[in-house]
Amino acid sequence: VQLQASGGGLVQAGGFLRVSCTASGGFFSRYVMAWFRQAPGKEREFVAFISWMGNTAYTASVKGRFTISRDNAKNTVALQMDSLKPEDTAVYFCAAKVGQVANTHNLYNYWGQGTLVTVSS
């Protein structure tokens, strides 16, 4: 499956952004979809996942501020990011895997190219 991310940009602290990812070439509805992020000089970290049934999980630092969703009819997954903080600045990657949900990046088989989100203070 090929993944194409979009929607990053520059926003002030407290603002919001929505990043999206469109999949092609696979049975999207059966994939676990996730968002990871990587800040400069840091490891790639888990942000959120959504199972094919719609079950979700978030890393603690974004819980209550970010919402992951999917539209299986449109082969898209989105991450709505509210109340953004400067520490949310990173390249955001969408990822896909089959099987069980996971929050470890090396368990995901398919990756989008990343989209940069910059939050100014």
Side-chain angles (χ1 to χ4, degrees), residues 1 17 27 32 34 43 47 52 63-64 66 74 105 108 114 116:
V1 63
L17 274 177
F27 293 100
V32 176
E43 299 277 325
V47 177
W52 65 274
K63 202 172 293 185
F66 290 12
K74 296 182 178 180
H105 67 83
Y108 283 78
L116 177 62

Side-chain angles (χ1 to χ4, degrees), residues 43-109:
E43 299 277 325
R44 190 167 298 191
E45 67 168 347
F46 167 75
V47 177
F49 67 61
I50 184 166
S51 74
W52 65 274
M53 293 179 63
N55 299 317
T56 60
Y58 300 87
T59 193
S61 63
V62 309
K63 202 172 293 185
R65 300 188 297 120
F66 290 12
T67 303
I68 189 171
S69 60
R70 67 189 296 161
D71 185 335
N72 290 336
K74 296 182 178 180
N75 287 4
T76 59
V77 60
L79 186 69
Q80 177 68 36
M81 302 181 289
D82 298 322
S83 303
L84 281 160
K85 303 176 181 179
E87 51 264 43
D88 294 319
T89 295
V91 176
Y92 284 71
F93 297 90
C94 61
K97 70 181 299 292
V98 297
Q100 299 292 323
V101 294
N103 61 5
T104 306
H105 67 83
N106 60 0
L107 296 180
Y108 283 78
N109 309 101

Side-chain angles (χ1 to χ4, degrees), residues 107-120:
L107 296 180
Y108 283 78
N109 309 101
Y110 307 101
W111 291 85
Q113 83 286 8
T115 184
L116 177 62
V117 171
T118 304
V119 184
S120 63

